[in-house]
Amino acid sequence: EKGGYKHFMAKEIAEQPAVLGDALRHYLGETGQITLPGGGIDFTGVSRLTMVACGTAYLACMTAKYWIEQLAGLPVDVDIASEFRYREPPIPEGTLAVFVSQSGETADTLAALRYCTGRAQRIVSVVNVAESSIARESDLALPILAGAEIGVASTKAFTCQLAVLALVALEAARQRGTLDAATLAAHVQDLRSMPGRLNAAMATEATVAETARRLAEAEDVLFLGRGTMYPLALEGALKLKEISYIHAEGYASGELKHGPIALVDKTVPVIVMAPHDRLFDKTVSNMQEVMARGGKVLLITDAKGAAEAGEGVWQTLVLPEAPELFAPILYALPAQLLAYHTAVAKGTDVDQPRNLAKSVTVE
Ligand code: M6R
């Protein structure tokens, strides 16, 4: 069943270009027109979104917030389901509630959905398991079509969640007229190019595995990112702690000097996720602050970023270029591969990490 791979997680990481391509074809067909099932989402009267999930699915929501706000001009609140359900927040008129869950059975996410039923204008879920409770109890369920995900650490579900959420953002922009037709078509084209870029990025695996062997010696690791790379930094840290048991934290790069820089010394690797985008220079200056304190920086970037990063970087991992908007889909891959190979180097149980269940169906 592992298709020749040592672990389900390795198989599921490697499957991403294919399943992502399938998911995009499902929603875009050959024409590139976004087609959502069940009549789609009507954004008329929608004035805000509230997105709720747990773990990696929550980080997919955090990423989507950047897209939906930027492309469609709709404000988005993102919440952790276990907080949302007991906070019982007001749900203003015109709220579209979106629940993201691979399994569709996460207890807190389901409870949050039930809280929104009758309060929100519409309940949409983004799920991998089409016949799950969360899918059944939503007005509309959007399948991510990742196929069965067995490894406890979520990988292909994350990238497919991102793809479907990107399509929701583009569809909202289309209906609201916040993007002209040519820009919209260009973004769709960019999104369709992501499976190919992910495939090309798989070529970095051997280099990542080498870096991971060194990372395996660390006790603490920091991940930094700005903009959409901020949720990716959180995802990198979550993956690493989950399967390698190394203490890892993700921070928004700009938060560094508000606390976490106190942790930095030569024993703490700092993983900086920074494609060469409009925020690159800012992240480089954060990186220099880390290096000035002896921190070992692993920079994950593209060729332009590598050329402009300057001296003193411990290691650089060069990824293919990606359209700025959808770079998070690509940068998920090195985050997953790093965690995977670090766990393999440490000899932990990659697919069944201690204390964790694939689906958290009790509180
Ligand atoms: O099935 P769900 O997407 O609702 O699960 C949510 C989290 O439990 C899940 O993403 C968890 O954080 C993963 N183990 C992360 O790799």
Side-chain angles (χ1 to χ4, degrees):
E1 279 169 83
K2 291 182 195 156
Y5 291 91
K6 215 168 138 197
H7 300 99
F8 282 110
M9 186 181 178
K11 171 174 172 273
E12 290 160 5
I13 290 173
E15 268 170 9
Q16 289 177 110
V19 290
L20 194 69
D22 291 345
L24 288 171
R25 265 189 300 280
H26 175 86
Y27 284 99
L28 291 167
E30 293 307 316
T31 60
Q33 291 236 356
I34 303 168
T35 312
L36 302 180
I41 304 172
D42 182 1
F43 282 92
T44 317
V46 171
S47 53
R48 61 185 289 277
L49 275 80
T50 191
M51 303 184 74
V52 183
C54 301
T56 285
Y58 165 74
L59 299 174
C61 294
M62 260 184 88
T63 312
K65 174 184 168 83
Y66 290 81
W67 289 334
I68 296 164
E69 291 187 347
Q70 187 185 327
L71 297 173
L74 280 168
V76 179
D77 280 336
V78 180
D79 254 296
I80 293 168
S82 56
E83 286 300 312
F84 181 91
R85 64 179 289 195
Y86 293 114
R87 198 172 79 243
E88 302 188 337
I91 307 293
E93 219 184 293
T95 297
L96 176 74
V98 179
F99 300 88
V100 180
S101 175
Q102 186 283 129
S103 62
E105 301 296 346
T106 299
D108 284 323
T109 309
L110 182 58
L113 182 155
R114 288 178 177 156
Y115 173 77
C116 288
T117 304
R119 290 185 168 92
Q121 177 166 321
R122 198 134 186 257
I123 310 264
V124 173
S125 61
V126 175
V127 293
N128 197 28
V129 181
E131 55 286 351
S132 59
S133 307
I134 288 174
R136 274 200 316 272
E137 295 193 27
S138 325
D139 299 320
L140 176 70
L142 303 177
I144 61 167
L145 306 156
E149 191 182 66
I150 310 290
V152 163
S154 187
T155 53
K156 60 177 179 169
F158 180 62
T159 42
C160 289
Q161 282 161 355
L162 289 179
V164 172
L165 292 170
L167 289 169
V168 169
L170 291 170
E171 174 62 9
R174 187 189 68 77
Q175 287 185 33
R176 290 167 53 79
T178 48
L179 292 180
D180 60 68
T183 311
L184 187 70
H187 286 324
V188 167
Q189 213 28 55
D190 281 348
L191 192 55
R192 286 171 123 179
S193 75
M194 294 313 294
R197 294 177 205 268
L198 267 178
N199 197 36
M202 283 300 295
T204 62
E205 182 161 10
T207 316
V208 175
E210 220 170 279
T211 304
R213 277 192 283 279
R214 301 196 203 166
L215 212 58
E217 291 158 21
E219 280 178 22
D220 302 283
V221 175
L222 285 178
F223 284 78
L224 301 179
R226 264 180 200 268
T228 52
M229 287 298 127
Y230 166 42
L232 262 289
L234 297 178
E235 170 64 1
L238 174 60
K239 284 290 94 90
L240 188 68
K241 66 187 128 191
E242 189 168 33
I243 59 169
S244 78
Y245 316 144
I246 292 174
H247 172 236
E249 298 292 336
Y251 275 96
S253 308
E255 275 291 290
L256 193 64
K257 44 166 99 48
H258 300 285
I261 199 161
L263 294 173
V264 172
D265 65 20
K266 61 182 186 328
T267 68
V268 181
V270 180
I271 301 178
V272 179
M273 307 182 85
H276 190 272
D277 59 15
R278 70 201 158 88
L279 301 172
F280 182 74
D281 292 345
K282 303 226 172 272
T283 304
V284 165
S285 73
N286 299 133
M287 201 171 84
Q288 277 155 354
E289 288 158 6
V290 167
M291 295 188 306
R293 284 155 187 87
K296 289 195 295 196
V297 169
L298 164 60
L299 174 63
I300 306 181
T301 185
D302 48 30
K304 268 194 210 146
E308 284 182 29
E311 300 281 288
V313 177
W314 175 51
Q315 283 189 50
T316 307
L317 182 68
V318 182
L319 293 183
E321 279 198 22
E324 180 162 347
L325 205 51
F326 303 123
I329 297 177
L330 183 66
Y331 281 66
L333 189 78
Q336 298 163 354
L337 286 173
L338 257 185
Y340 174 74
H341 287 287
T342 305
V344 169
K346 292 196 73 171
T348 56
D349 187 346
V350 171
D351 285 332
Q352 285 291 330
R354 68 186 183 201
N355 310 339
L356 293 174
K358 178 65 183 162
S359 179
V360 185
T361 53
V362 289
E363 271 189 72

